[in-house]
Amino acid sequence: MKQIKPALNKFQYPRTIILGLGMMLSISLPLQPILSLEKMGISPQFQNPKIKHRQMGESRPPHPLILTQEDSMPYLSQLEAQIIREMNQARTNPGDYADKLETLKNYYDGRLFKLPGETPIRTQEGISAVDEAIRALRGMDSKPSLRPSRGMSQAAGDLVEYQGPRGETGHIGSDRSTPFDRMNRYGRWRGGAAENISYGPDTAEQVVMQLIIDDGVPSRGHRENIFNGEFRWTGVACGPHETYGQMCAIVYANGYDEQE
């Protein structure tokens, strides 16, 4: 997979962030073509020939769901726990989350997204991407909440630890590892798995909304990963990024057995 270091558009304000800047990679078994990334300059095909079919079964006892401000997991930062809560709010009540997206429309000026007191964001599609996301969410059924996984969060953390200081992007690690390889370092994923990466946003709401709106990504692959009803487990890691200030890696799996 080709790695890129996205460049800011010359017409953007200084330090302006591209709203649609994110990366996604997913795989289900049997192997399927990966969601399109042509618009981002990344090869649309990535398959790991070493991954074999695995039988699905019941996962180990789940962690408590992170749905409220009081809930926490000791291996997650506040931001990471908030991202899981935010994704679960969207998954369990997509119609209500569509109402939340409606509030963003007041801050669009053409293709510029301008929150008070923050750096303007130059989007690729403007308000039309928000309208499309709202329609999509209003037509969705509720999905089960994602359960947090320590091992999957460690796998996401490996990518953040490598990419952040170098300002790099993409799904391939310093050792040429894929998200699926990294998840298998700390356990074993089963059935299907995926990874979303957000660069720039530094709050849980901004991260999740960015990935759901999926501005500039024709396949809306980030959104599909978040709302994939087969995914029941997730891991999140966030950290500083040399180029974009902040990055968050989010991995998903149908099933996941934690390493003993």
Side-chain angles (χ1 to χ4, degrees):
M1 176 179 291
K2 178 183 176 183
Q3 293 190 10
I4 60 169
K5 184 176 291 185
L8 295 177
N9 186 295
K10 66 180 179 181
F11 297 108
Q12 294 172 353
Y13 292 87
R15 295 184 59 80
T16 298
I17 298 166
I18 302 174
L19 182 63
L21 181 60
M23 309 249 172
M24 75 279 186
L25 182 65
S26 64
I27 191 168
S28 297
L29 298 176
L31 291 173
Q32 299 290 334
I34 298 310
L35 297 170
S36 173
L37 298 177
E38 297 97 322
K39 292 294 184 180
M40 302 170 63
I42 300 176
S43 170
Q45 298 292 326
F46 180 85
Q47 297 180 350
N48 184 349
K50 297 181 180 179
I51 296 176
K52 300 179 180 179
H53 184 77
R54 300 175 183 145
Q55 295 298 319
M56 284 296 293
E58 291 297 319
S59 296
R60 287 183 170 84
H63 296 295
L65 297 184
I66 296 184
L67 289 174
T68 69
Q69 290 291 341
E70 290 72 28
D71 292 327
S72 180
M73 299 302 290
Y75 54 85
L76 295 174
S77 70
Q78 183 179 22
L79 174 59
E80 292 157 0
Q82 288 172 343
I83 287 173
I84 296 178
R85 283 196 295 269
E86 192 78 13
M87 290 191 297
N88 280 341
Q89 289 172 9
R91 282 171 64 95
T92 58
N93 294 289
D96 288 348
Y97 207 84
D99 293 337
K100 195 172 183 177
L101 294 182
E102 284 277 5
T103 65
L104 298 180
K105 294 164 66 173
N106 297 324
Y107 302 106
Y108 276 84
D109 179 8
R111 293 189 177 183
L112 281 180
F113 179 68
K114 302 190 291 186
L115 285 174
E118 296 194 14
T119 303
I121 298 171
R122 182 172 296 281
T123 69
Q124 297 182 49
E125 300 176 59
I127 201 169
S128 63
V130 183
D131 285 331
E132 188 275 330
I134 290 169
R135 290 193 299 271
L137 266 61
R138 294 204 190 285
M140 287 183 185
D141 295 327
S142 177
K143 304 295 190 302
S145 292
L146 294 165
R147 302 179 184 277
S149 160
R150 178 189 297 272
M152 293 173 67
S153 295
Q154 288 177 291
D158 285 352
L159 185 67
V160 174
E161 183 178 356
Y162 165 66
Q163 283 191 351
R166 296 167 177 80
E168 296 185 6
T169 61
H171 296 279
I172 304 303
S174 58
D175 56 357
R176 307 305 300 169
S177 63
T178 69
F180 320 114
D181 297 328
R182 293 188 290 273
M183 280 188 271
N184 279 344
R185 291 173 183 167
Y186 306 103
R188 187 171 177 83
W189 64 268
R190 294 180 289 106
E195 180 177 74
N196 282 348
I197 312 174
S198 169
Y199 298 94
D202 58 5
T203 70
E205 189 173 73
Q206 290 173 354
V207 168
V208 175
M209 285 185 169
Q210 176 210 44
L211 294 171
I212 288 176
I213 294 171
D214 228 357
D215 180 272
V217 181
S219 68
R220 306 302 194 210
H222 300 96
R223 184 194 306 162
E224 289 187 9
N225 286 341
I226 290 175
F227 289 100
N228 186 329
E230 297 298 315
F231 292 154
R232 302 301 176 88
W233 295 82
T234 190
V236 182
C238 300
H241 190 272
E242 180 66 23
T243 303
Y244 293 104
Q246 178 81 18
M247 71 172 288
C248 291
I250 308 170
V251 290
Y252 310 86
N254 292 21
Y256 191 76
D257 295 322
E258 301 280 353
Q259 196 173 70
E260 295 292 348

